[in-house]
Amino acid sequence: MFSAAVIWCIGVFSTAVKGHALLVAAGELDQPAWFSELPLATVCLASVVGILKGYFLFSKINNKNIDRILGMGNLPRWHECYRWQFYVFLPTVIGTSAVLTKIYSEELAVLLVFGGMDIVVSWALFISLRCFYMRYQEYSEAFVSTGLLDTEEEVTNGGSIGNPILSSA
């Protein structure tokens, strides 16, 4: 589960950094004065959309993934934490925005749209991280009760449960 959360966090930070860079580039373009407010408006709108998307869509996806991991007979290796669609989705979002913004680096609309899209995805991933925290007790107890983790004591309050990465090797 730790591997799944780390991969999720990598998605949060990579899309946030890329989105920020694109919106900064959009703000530096030579445009009329009122255009300077568009990057800020994009951040605000993308943040609201991303938070809603994270709560209503990405949290459901994350919970389904946690259910899938709990249903596995053994602890997943890092590449088994997500289905292949996730590994296609995230690089596609990052790669598409990188390629198109290099080609159209002087186009305000392109920078705003792809910067906003990256911010939406970053917020959605960030908000849905709460699923890992909220279900910690459930998956730690499941892993201990099935013998997937080595521990000497019962997990009752989120205490130390051992290293799931090393114990699955």
Side-chain angles (χ1 to χ4, degrees), residues 154-165:
E154 197 66 32
V155 177
T156 57
N157 61 0
S160 175
I161 60 169
N163 187 333
I165 295 172

Side-chain angles (χ1 to χ4, degrees), residues 4-21:
V6 168
I7 292 169
W8 207 258
C9 287
I10 289 170
V12 169
F13 292 113
S14 63
T15 54
V17 167
K18 181 66 176 161
H20 177 264

Side-chain angles (χ1 to χ4, degrees), residues 30-160:
D30 189 23
Q31 302 288 339
W34 67 274
F35 277 92
S36 65
E37 302 301 323
L38 287 178
L40 179 60
T42 301
V43 167
C44 293
L45 180 63
S47 295
V48 170
V49 171
I51 290 168
L52 292 172
K53 194 173 195 176
Y55 186 78
F56 291 109
L57 179 66
F58 279 45
S59 291
K60 288 180 183 179
I61 292 168
N62 201 0
N63 277 318
K64 280 184 180 181
N65 193 57
I66 292 171
D67 290 339
R68 185 182 64 79
I69 291 172
L70 288 173
M72 293 178 143
N74 54 4
L75 285 175
R77 294 180 296 267
W78 73 269
H79 64 279
E80 296 173 326
C81 292
Y82 296 100
R83 294 190 174 169
W84 66 269
Q85 293 93 336
F86 177 80
Y87 293 111
V88 170
F89 169 74
L90 198 56
T92 300
V93 168
I94 296 168
T96 302
S97 74
V99 168
L100 289 175
T101 53
K102 290 290 182 196
I103 294 171
Y104 300 105
S105 63
E106 297 298 317
E107 294 291 328
L108 181 68
V110 171
L111 295 175
L112 291 176
V113 166
F114 283 98
M117 184 177 68
D118 283 336
I119 297 297
V120 166
V121 171
S122 180
W123 269 110
L125 290 170
F126 179 72
I127 294 299
S128 61
L129 268 172
R130 68 188 177 85
C131 299
F132 290 109
Y133 176 75
M134 291 172 53
R135 295 187 64 185
Y136 173 79
Q137 189 70 29
E138 177 186 352
Y139 62 76
S140 63
E141 286 176 356
F143 288 154
V144 169
S145 67
T146 58
L148 294 175
L149 292 178
D150 297 328
T151 183
E152 310 238 336
E153 57 190 55
E154 197 66 32
V155 177
T156 57
N157 61 0
S160 175

